[in-house]
Amino acid sequence: EADIYQTPRYLVIGTGKKITLECSQTMGHDKMYWYQQDPGMELHLIHYSYGVNSTEKGDLSSESTVSRIRTEHFPLTLESARPSHTSQYLCASSGQVSNSPLHFGNGTRLTVT
Amino acid sequence: QKEVEQNSGPLSVPEGAIASLNCTYSDRVSQSFFWYRQYSGKSPELIMSIYSNGDKEDGRFTAQLNKASQYVSLLIRDSQPSDSATYLCAVLDPNDYKLSFGAGTTVTVRA
């Protein structure tokens, strides 16, 4: 059973606010990922990390930023939220074995008003 | 960007029938393939991994892989209403460990 946690589960926030979505995993996984998914739509990779101090942009351009200071923690930050950022954000991690599958957290559903 | 194509849905099957889901991928170097199930409003849940050509069975699920044809499929036998969900095919790029997802096929099992 994968242990990956995201907080908050739901967030409603006004335009222009700075927000940080938290993601933590307790499995010691080196690789972590952020996906964005609108309702009924595809998953899009927005950020990923191979390990501490490693961050890469994904396939979908995003105004968010990430950091990886600790192995277990991979927060995503939006400096100034806009209604176009309304979406579900899914964090995932995978283990050291090169072909390990991804395990997902429960997601954060963000609404920007 | 790597392409992962799934058969368009929605797919409606009667309870007890077999649901057949198909997926093709564009990147020949891919070696690792996964099927995820996603219930509405929930996050994807891993149900099958397959790495070698042939069939892999796990309970009512069977994954089939044909690397020469760049094709992977999922069969759900004895479909149950609880199998009603969107099924996502995912392909791992061995060079950068990025997982590319298909758009998903929504399955509805009719009681």
Side-chain angles (χ1 to χ4, degrees):
Chain A
E1 185 72 25
D3 294 322
I4 180 164
Y5 307 99
Q6 291 186 243
T7 58
R9 185 75 177 88
Y10 301 95
L11 179 62
V12 180
I13 201 162
T15 297
K17 299 293 187 183
K18 178 180 178 179
I19 59 169
T20 296
L21 307 184
E22 302 288 348
C23 176
S24 295
Q25 48 94 8
T26 59
M27 299 162 287
H29 284 173
D30 52 353
K31 296 181 283 294
M32 296 189 73
Y33 308 80
W34 277 102
Y35 285 83
Q36 184 175 343
Q37 186 181 34
D38 293 329
M41 304 298 284
E42 294 179 51
L43 283 152
H44 292 286
L45 180 67
I46 52 174
H47 298 284
Y48 60 106
S49 168
Y50 295 121
V52 172
N53 294 325
S54 156
T55 60
E56 305 286 342
K57 289 192 178 295
D59 302 319
L60 180 68
S61 175
S62 173
E63 294 167 346
S64 59
T65 59
V66 292
S67 62
R68 190 86 183 276
I69 299 172
R70 303 197 315 267
T71 297
E72 63 272 21
H73 195 213
F74 191 41
L76 180 144
T77 298
L78 277 165
E79 290 292 334
S80 179
R82 295 207 302 269
S84 61
H85 296 139
T86 295
S87 189
Q88 170 148 270
Y89 293 84
L90 293 161
C91 182
S93 71
S94 65
Q96 277 74 6
V97 176
S98 60
N99 59 2
S100 296
L102 271 62
H103 297 279
F104 285 86
N106 287 328
T108 294
R109 185 164 297 281
L110 173 66
T111 302
V112 183
T113 61
Chain B
Q1 183 174 346
K2 313 300 187 296
E3 290 189 0
V4 181
E5 301 284 343
Q6 294 186 239
N7 52 326
S8 59
L11 179 65
S12 180
V13 298
E15 186 174 357
I18 295 175
S20 177
L21 308 172
N22 301 318
C23 174
T24 58
Y25 58 95
S26 63
D27 191 354
R28 287 195 169 276
V29 303
S30 299
Q31 297 293 319
S32 305
F33 308 88
F34 309 98
W35 283 99
Y36 286 82
R37 177 176 62 200
Q38 187 174 28
Y39 293 113
S40 180
K42 303 294 186 182
S43 59
E45 170 193 11
L46 180 70
I47 55 172
M48 289 286 283
S49 305
I50 187 165
Y51 305 101
S52 304
N53 281 330
D55 296 357
K56 179 182 178 182
E57 187 175 315
D58 184 358
R60 295 185 294 108
F61 298 100
T62 299
Q64 299 172 317
L65 175 61
N66 183 326
K67 292 182 183 178
S69 301
Q70 295 177 239
Y71 173 89
V72 58
S73 67
L74 179 71
L75 299 177
I76 307 173
R77 292 185 304 282
D78 188 23
S79 295
Q80 302 297 309
S82 59
D83 295 327
S84 297
T86 296
Y87 290 81
L88 304 170
C89 174
V91 178
L92 185 67
D93 186 326
N95 297 312
D96 57 18
Y97 308 111
K98 289 161 58 177
L99 199 62
S100 296
F101 286 87
T105 300
T106 298
V107 174
T108 300
V109 180
R110 309 187 304 271

